[in-house]
Amino acid sequence: MTPRSARGRRLPIARHGALRSPNPLLQMLTVVGVIVAVVVVSGVSVAGYAAVGLVSDFAENAVELDDAPAAPPSLGAIEGPITMVVTGTDECEDEIADSFGGRCKGPDASGQLNDVNLLVHISDAPRRVTVVSFPRDLMLPIPSCTREDGSQTSAMRKQPLNSAYSYGGLGCVVNTLSSLSGLSVPYAAKVSFGNVINITDAIGGVEVCIAGGGMRDRHTGIDWPAGIRTVSGYDALQFLRTRHGVGDGSDLGRISNQQQYMSRLVRKLVSDEVLSDVGTLGALAGTAVKNVTPSDSLANPLRLVQIALAAKDVPFDDITFLQYPTYTDPADVNKVVPDYDAAEQLWAALIANQPLQLSGEAGKNDAVVVVEPPAAEAPADPAVVEGETPPAEVPAVPDGTVVLPQSITGSTAAQETCSVGNVPG
């Protein structure tokens, strides 16, 4: 198989400089993963789910959101679109602090930052899942937020996205992304460093693909050859944290690397290896609910099952991972600012429930390539004169489909991508 760009060629793209902020973090459990965990527990019945005794664990630290929906009236797939924020924080739990050295115990140690930020949108019928990743160093307005003690923070005109959690917790991250997108966000969940390790261990790891000559990053301890590699536990966390080991060493490239992991995680979760193994299912379900901090709206088991039923049959072609479009911040080359015009086309399409078609690369800053199976040799076209290059085929755009701008990079779960390691091939 031959790695290549999403459209078969490389285009010149703006490079986002290697960011200088402290060691970031992890990526994990998109809501798709949470949903699958819920589906496997609720597959027999809601009573079976409740009997596992996980509901109280899941609800113990639930967070209240401003846009919380009413309690679900009855069992059955939820109606209408569903939007959720999933954030990953760089919390240094006691059991892992020694593994992260200065990040957790040295002079660079700091409070929790929301270094991974995902907005997950499940459309109304027909159901499609769109996962939008936002750069942690995206400079944008942060609205007034309510702290845990009930006090209010002041609205800020321009701050990095990954500072929102430190101002007002999960609710502040939700309010910030809701304001940016114009979408109501009634559901949210948070995972941390240790959560990622526990969850990936529960499913026996995830296969990832490394292209080029391999991946090397002294900041995360990675020194891996090219090829397919199963990562779990601490290795999975380091793969998701690596910035210097992939593409051009930028945070935008790291997001593309994380999206490869998410896509492969989705395929692993719905594979026979997981779905047909009762022990793995039980471990996954128990680990997921004990390692995810949900919003109050997600802590209701009936609501969880409803969301699961809404998303469980979405085909891989309709699960899309996108990166929010940005420009380099004129005030700081190590930061980025929103490309509002390009993003508006995405938000308008989601609100209007229109299918999306990608036109951009699979990832930012040369971080990932699409793996294409060898193409079968096509019969000669009699209309093409020998020696001439046949015209390129222009893919048809179905009626009602929105073709996203090239500045919005991404891929679908049906596409296989590889992360381009920093070791020359």
Side-chain angles (χ1 to χ4, degrees):
M1 294 188 291
T2 304
R4 63 180 195 173
S5 69
R7 288 165 288 155
R9 57 193 178 92
R10 293 194 181 278
L11 296 178
I13 52 178
R15 292 182 178 274
H16 177 45
L19 303 177
R20 294 190 292 262
S21 1
N23 249 352
L25 69 102
L26 71 296
Q27 174 63 301
M28 179 56 218
L29 249 213
T30 68
V31 75
V32 179
V34 178
I35 285 171
V36 173
V38 175
V39 169
V40 302
V41 180
S42 62
V44 178
S45 67
V46 180
Y49 172 75
V52 179
L54 303 177
V55 178
S56 59
D57 290 335
F58 200 45
E60 183 177 356
N61 298 311
V63 177
E64 185 176 348
L65 300 181
D66 291 344
D67 288 343
S74 61
L75 181 60
I78 197 170
E79 295 182 358
I82 303 161
T83 305
M84 176 183 300
V85 161
V86 179
T87 189
T89 61
D90 59 356
E91 178 180 358
C92 292
E93 297 99 330
D94 291 341
E95 60 271 22
I96 64 166
D98 289 338
S99 300
F100 292 94
R103 171 62 194 89
C104 291
K105 295 186 173 183
D108 290 334
S110 60
Q112 291 187 54
L113 301 175
N114 50 297
D115 275 348
V116 171
N117 302 277
L118 309 173
L119 186 146
V120 184
H121 182 80
I122 305 172
S123 67
D124 197 1
R127 297 292 190 182
R128 292 178 293 270
V129 177
T130 304
V131 182
V132 184
S133 295
F134 300 84
R136 66 193 191 105
D137 289 284
L138 176 65
M139 303 299 291
L140 77 175
I142 294 182
S144 174
C145 300
T146 303
R147 299 188 183 96
E148 287 187 7
D149 62 6
S151 61
Q152 291 289 126
T153 65
S154 299
M156 289 165 280
R157 186 183 64 84
K158 187 180 181 183
Q159 290 292 319
L161 173 58
N162 74 335
S163 66
Y165 191 89
S166 64
Y167 293 125
L170 181 60
C172 197
V173 180
V174 169
N175 289 350
T176 300
L177 294 182
S178 177
S179 177
L180 179 65
S181 65
L183 299 172
S184 172
V185 181
Y187 309 102
K190 186 206 83 166
V191 292
S192 69
F193 275 159
N195 298 153
V196 174
I197 293 173
N198 295 335
I199 293 170
T200 52
D201 278 346
I203 61 172
V206 175
E207 282 192 348
V208 296
C209 177
I210 302 172
M215 183 181 291
R216 188 175 297 137
D217 180 0
R218 65 180 179 83
H219 299 279
T220 57
I222 288 176
D223 189 0
W224 299 339
I228 299 295
R229 182 184 190 90
T230 298
V231 295
S232 62
Y234 184 79
D235 281 351
L237 176 61
Q238 298 300 62
F239 178 79
L240 294 166
R241 291 179 62 232
T242 186
R243 182 182 85 215
H244 302 285
V246 63
D248 68 345
S250 69
D251 185 50
L252 301 186
R254 172 171 47 201
I255 289 176
S256 299
N257 183 55
Q258 293 170 345
Q259 288 180 327
Q260 186 226 148
Y261 180 91
M262 286 191 289
S263 180
R264 290 176 181 270
L265 169 67
V266 169
R267 291 199 291 272
K268 173 70 177 282
L269 287 169
V270 298
S271 68
D272 289 341
E273 183 180 349
V274 173
L275 290 181
S276 62
D277 188 322
V278 175
T280 300
L281 292 182
L284 172 61
T287 302
V289 298
K290 291 177 181 177
N291 285 274
V292 174
T293 300
S295 59
D296 276 341
S297 51
L298 270 188
N300 185 307
L302 191 55
R303 179 67 78 194
L304 280 168
V305 174
Q306 287 183 314
I307 296 175
L309 292 174
K312 71 184 183 70
D313 293 324
V314 176
F316 287 163
D317 280 329
D318 288 330
I319 300 175
T320 307
F321 299 96
L322 305 174
Q323 185 166 165
Y324 183 82
T326 60
Y327 297 116
T328 299
D329 186 349
D332 186 345
V333 296
N334 293 305
K335 306 291 184 182
V336 292
V337 292
D339 179 350
Y340 289 109
D341 291 340
E344 182 54 35
Q345 297 180 54
L346 168 63
W347 305 136
L350 295 183
I351 291 171
N353 195 17
Q354 293 175 284
L356 306 175
Q357 181 166 307
L358 298 167
S359 71
E361 296 286 322
K364 289 279 191 182
N365 296 20
D366 299 324
V368 298
V369 288
V370 174
V371 179
E372 301 278 3
E377 188 172 336
D381 185 347
V384 176
V385 179
E386 186 175 353
E388 290 186 359
T389 302
E393 291 186 13
V394 179
V397 179
D399 290 343
T401 296
V402 173
V403 179
L404 295 176
Q406 292 183 4
S407 57
I408 300 180
T409 61
S411 59
T412 71
Q415 294 176 292
E416 183 180 356
T417 60
C418 281
S419 298
V420 180
N422 61 332
V423 179

